[in-house]
Amino acid sequence: MGVELTALHWIYVLFIFFIIGFMVARRDTTLICILGIFLIALTATSSLSASVSSIFNSFAYAITELLSTILVISIIVAMSKTLTVTGINDVMISPFSKLIRSPALAYWTIGLLMMVISFFFWPSPAVALMGAVLLPVAIRAGLPALGVAMAMNLFGHGIALSGDFVIQGAPKLTADAAGLPVSQVIHASIPLVIVMGAVTTVCAFYFLKRDLKNGKLTSGTGLATAAASSKESTLQNGDPALLSSSQKRFFALLVPVLFALDVVAMYLFQLQGGEATALIGGTSVVILLLISMAGHKGKGLEKTTSYLIEGFQFGFKVFGPVIPIAAFFYLGDAGFNTIIGNLLPKHSHGIVNDLGVSLASVVPMTKEIGAVTLTGVGAITGLDGSGFSGISLAGSIAALFAHAIGAGAATLTALGQIAAIWVGGGTLVPWALIPAAAICGVDPFELARRNLLPVAIGLVVTTIVAMFLI
């Protein structure tokens, strides 16, 4: 039975357009999301006090839904800090420096290693773990610092973050907004992540080699060389050692072994979503404690707390802009009844589902239009430079189109997620890729320009592939 669209539905749609408009204009959307929550609640309840309370309740609901993701990222960042401070990360990555003998080997070795590390640590900590060690080696092999930054961006902030198969922060956000199990979105994203990653990294490498050959790009000049020399000098001179060489080697072996055992356990016991996140998070806490106590000895107790505080500060700084927008989009599905109450129209299946059914009866939707729209919406929401703040919107719109088309919810959701994170997660928006640019000593705007054409080509090809998978 159809559902008549009410003011609640139209307010929700109106604020989706407002949010997109503000993102395109590179303005913050927090105020718009809060206003949207308030107006929807006021329309549903006709109560000023209940509407004001709904703002707080929506935030609480969003934080509850995202808490495990925020927590695991905070813990991983804290653990990464201990690896950097104690010098264990240098030992972990140094064997790979022996493989880097040419620009091509430097690009692919750094990229693939960045991807693997980013699956477990997320890209921002991985940039810090890798950059200081491998940047001087890559420059000696003839790969420009700009090429190193591109490899870290495309493989880490692109491939690893857009799939996020291990920590599962991105698919959790999009799956919740689309009303789907996390496992469905992950499964649907695998072929799209592979296509997007392969096309983009190969195109980027081709353009890099072409410009090196014709002299438009030279290896290691100016700021990049200075940064690399400084890092190399720091590595050679070093800070006072917290761990002995044998201790560093022990932990450098222990850390990947423990995470490899986590992956084995996920496969054997079919751990996904929250269970997989908990396993990674718990393992990270254990590693943090072991390294902190071994490295700082008598001050280990205090340093453990200090590392955790740094991690939590990072986690909430990253997810601070996400909470208001996630709170708004949770109203489009199951969150409405929890946040505001059972006040939707009779026979309603949620605001987004109602809109999808109504759209199907009015507009002749096709899977091609759906795929192009989700790529566009994902790319637009990524313009805020977060990559994460808008993927709830992508999930909601994917659900809307899937109901209109009658299929492809998981594929459309994954496509929107991939587009949003590739654009905003650190490959195109200059203020989002500052960490990699800073580590490599290159201009973030030049890095964004270098990434633009490969990422654009990748998005076009991935969108076409998605049309056949829906």
Side-chain angles (χ1 to χ4, degrees):
M1 182 179 294
V3 177
E4 182 181 354
L5 299 185
T6 66
L8 289 174
H9 298 86
W10 295 118
I11 292 172
Y12 189 82
V13 170
L14 179 64
F15 273 87
I16 285 179
F17 284 113
F18 280 154
I19 291 168
I20 292 175
F22 272 68
M23 285 181 171
V24 170
R26 298 179 181 177
R27 301 301 301 273
D28 194 89
T29 60
T30 297
L31 177 60
I32 301 301
C33 292
I34 293 172
L35 184 58
I37 294 166
F38 174 78
L39 288 179
I40 290 174
L42 184 63
T43 303
T45 64
S46 300
S47 168
L48 183 61
S49 61
S51 303
V52 174
S53 298
S54 293
I55 297 173
F56 179 84
N57 290 337
S58 67
F59 278 35
Y61 183 89
I63 291 172
T64 301
E65 291 294 308
L66 299 175
L67 186 58
S68 62
T69 302
I70 298 172
L71 184 60
V72 73
I73 290 169
S74 301
I75 291 170
I76 286 171
V77 170
M79 181 202 66
S80 301
K81 180 70 174 179
T82 66
L83 295 176
T84 303
V85 169
T86 56
I88 295 170
N89 66 300
D90 297 351
V91 179
M92 289 173 64
I93 296 173
S94 59
F96 294 94
S97 64
K98 299 175 183 177
L99 300 174
I100 300 176
R101 300 300 183 200
S102 68
L105 284 174
Y107 177 87
W108 293 108
T109 301
I110 289 173
L112 292 171
L113 186 58
M114 176 73 182
M115 180 181 71
V116 172
I117 294 176
S118 296
F119 275 131
F120 294 96
F121 294 166
W122 261 31
S124 293
V127 166
L129 285 170
M130 288 187 54
V133 177
L134 293 185
L135 176 63
V137 179
I139 289 178
R140 283 201 303 269
L143 182 67
L146 192 59
V148 178
M150 288 175 68
M152 291 198 291
N153 269 164
L154 300 178
F155 283 88
H157 293 87
I159 298 174
L161 190 59
S162 67
D164 200 9
F165 300 133
V166 178
I167 299 174
Q168 300 182 4
K172 166 69 173 171
L173 284 170
T174 48
D176 283 354
L180 297 171
V182 175
S183 58
Q184 281 191 23
V185 175
I186 291 175
H187 181 75
S189 71
I190 291 173
L192 299 180
V193 169
I194 291 172
V195 170
M196 180 71 191
V199 171
T200 305
T201 55
V202 170
C203 287
F205 180 69
Y206 168 77
F207 295 136
L208 197 63
K209 288 286 288 183
R210 181 195 64 188
D211 290 346
L212 278 172
K213 186 176 181 180
N214 61 26
K216 287 185 179 180
L217 192 63
T218 56
S219 59
T221 56
L223 178 61
T225 302
S229 300
S230 174
K231 288 178 176 61
E232 192 168 19
S233 175
T234 299
L235 288 171
Q236 291 171 349
N237 297 331
D239 294 323
L242 295 173
L243 295 173
S244 66
S245 297
S246 59
Q247 287 176 313
K248 290 179 183 178
R249 286 194 296 269
F250 170 76
F251 283 113
L253 180 62
L254 178 66
V255 171
V257 166
L258 289 178
F259 282 119
L261 290 174
D262 281 353
V263 174
V264 172
M266 289 178 201
Y267 176 77
L268 292 177
F269 302 112
Q270 297 295 300
L271 301 180
Q272 294 181 328
E275 292 176 327
T277 299
L279 183 61
I280 292 292
T283 302
S284 300
V285 171
V286 171
I287 293 171
L288 165 65
L289 293 172
L290 291 174
I291 296 175
S292 184
M293 295 305 295
H296 297 285
K297 300 178 177 64
K299 296 182 179 179
L301 296 174
E302 290 74 16
K303 291 300 294 183
T304 298
T305 303
S306 175
Y307 288 132
L308 284 173
I309 290 172
E310 285 189 54
F312 286 128
Q313 287 175 333
F314 176 88
F316 278 93
K317 182 178 181 180
V318 169
F319 276 87
V322 175
I323 290 169
I325 195 168
F328 173 80
F329 286 108
Y330 281 134
L331 289 178
D333 194 48
F336 189 96
N337 290 342
T338 303
I339 296 167
I340 296 176
N342 190 16
L343 297 171
L344 287 170
K346 189 178 181 181
H347 304 301
S348 173
H349 297 286
I351 293 176
V352 169
N353 290 354
D354 296 345
L355 290 168
V357 172
S358 298
L359 187 63
S361 64
V362 176
V363 181
M365 298 297 295
T366 65
K367 60 184 181 181
E368 290 81 10
I369 293 174
V372 171
T373 301
L374 260 297
T375 299
V377 167
I380 288 170
T381 59
L383 292 175
D384 71 334
S386 164
F388 272 64
S389 64
I391 58 176
S392 292
L393 171 62
S396 293
I397 293 180
L400 189 152
F401 272 84
H403 280 281
I405 298 168
T411 299
L412 288 171
T413 300
L415 181 62
Q417 169 184 306
I418 289 167
I421 292 178
W422 271 90
V423 172
T427 66
L428 288 187
V429 179
W431 53 92
L433 43 73
I434 286 175
I439 287 288
C440 296
V442 299
D443 180 5
F445 289 92
E446 177 61 25
L447 179 56
R449 283 191 290 271
R450 278 273 162 186
N451 289 339
L452 178 58
L453 185 56
V455 171
I457 294 171
L459 286 174
V460 170
V461 175
T462 305
T463 303
I464 294 171
V465 171
M467 293 176 186
F468 291 97
L469 296 176
I470 294 173

